[in-house]
Amino acid sequence: MLCMAGTLPAGIRRGGISLKRRHLLAGFALCGAAVPVLAQASRDPVNSRGPALLTVSGHIAAGNRGPLDPALDQLMKKQGVEFTRAYSFDFAALSALPATAIAPTLEYDNRQHRLTGPLLSRVLRAAGAQTNETTRLLLRAIDGYTALVPLAEVDRFRFIVATHLDGQPIPLGGLGPLWAVYEPDAFPEMASKPASERFALCPWGLYHVEVQ
Ligand SMILES: Nc1nc2c(c(=O)[nH]1)N[C@H]1C(S)=C(S)[C@@H](COP(=O)(O)O)O[C@H]1N2
Ligand SMILES: [Mo]
């Protein structure tokens, strides 16, 4: 549509702009009452929460949200997720946990990139996960990709929940906003695999973890 605007006669473009201005002014008039509400929201820790980016369910303590809502939790419902309680993190909650940095060579461009975020085991602790030596984690991504990883491996390979790639938040539509990832280069048995096989346990677009 932007390209098409460039082909319109100048008069029509100006008309478009003034229409937008009218629209904006009308918007301001209507928004008068909303301003105090916005101000209140930014002071209220509950209402100022960002969207949940990661939900942890399964063997956990009380959690911080209710059961899966089959009406409104559509993506999880479609992907067969079920829970009666869960703990969800927004971006701020994940960023508030101590961050670890890794520098794996990525298979996509064969280059080293810096990834930072909390250790997955630290995230699980914050979620109240109840774990033992037989615990496995089902890591689930937005596109339905899943990886089942023993907690022992998550600890040994120091998996992180990456929130930043080369210092920038990771886009949805790219590898983010969260990526369960480790540094294969740091482990001889992984580094010896071809680059295309080192990241099979690393769902990008991670949004759900089931503690089994
Ligand atoms: N969300 C998501 N993560 C994923 C995958 C995927 O299909 N979706 N594929 C996995 C596999 S098998 C590998 S080898 C690497 C690279 O796969 P990709 O090219 O599909 O990203 O990412 C892993 N993580
Ligand atoms: Mo793969």
Side-chain angles (χ1 to χ4, degrees), residues 24-110:
L24 263 178
L25 287 172
F28 276 124
L30 285 173
C31 274
V35 171
V37 177
L38 284 173
Q40 185 189 336
S42 65
R43 283 196 305 270
D44 178 339
V46 173
N47 288 327
S48 65
R49 272 176 66 97
L53 295 188
L54 181 68
T55 300
V56 180
S57 66
H59 285 279
I60 66 160
N64 66 355
R65 60 153 288 167
L68 181 131
D69 179 340
L72 300 182
D73 288 321
Q74 276 297 320
L75 183 61
M76 290 193 279
K77 184 190 154 198
K78 281 205 167 99
Q79 295 186 346
V81 175
E82 291 175 7
F83 56 77
T84 52
R85 59 181 190 277
Y87 194 102
S88 68
F89 295 87
D90 65 3
F91 197 77
L94 290 170
S95 304
L97 297 173
T100 292
I102 58 175
T105 306
L106 299 189
E107 66 172 283
Y108 302 112
D109 58 5
N110 244 324

Side-chain angles (χ1 to χ4, degrees), residues 112-174:
Q112 246 192 338
H113 291 270
R114 179 180 159 86
L115 285 151
T116 56
L119 286 170
L120 177 50
S121 57
R122 183 68 187 77
V123 172
L124 292 174
R125 184 144 46 97
Q130 295 161 335
T131 63
N132 61 33
E133 47 308 331
T134 66
T135 298
R136 294 184 306 176
L137 303 176
L138 186 63
L139 310 177
R140 184 185 305 276
I142 46 175
D143 63 341
Y145 185 84
T146 57
L148 186 60
V149 194
L151 179 62
E153 305 240 303
V154 162
D155 288 341
R156 188 162 71 91
F157 293 131
R158 296 178 64 76
F159 269 75
I160 67 169
V161 175
T163 56
H164 290 76
L165 172 66
D166 299 327
Q168 301 295 325
I170 316 172
L172 178 61

Side-chain angles (χ1 to χ4, degrees), residues 107-108 141 143 145 196-197 199-200 202-205:
E107 66 172 283
Y108 302 112
D143 63 341
Y145 185 84
S196 60
E197 288 171 22
F199 294 96
C202 305
W204 42 258

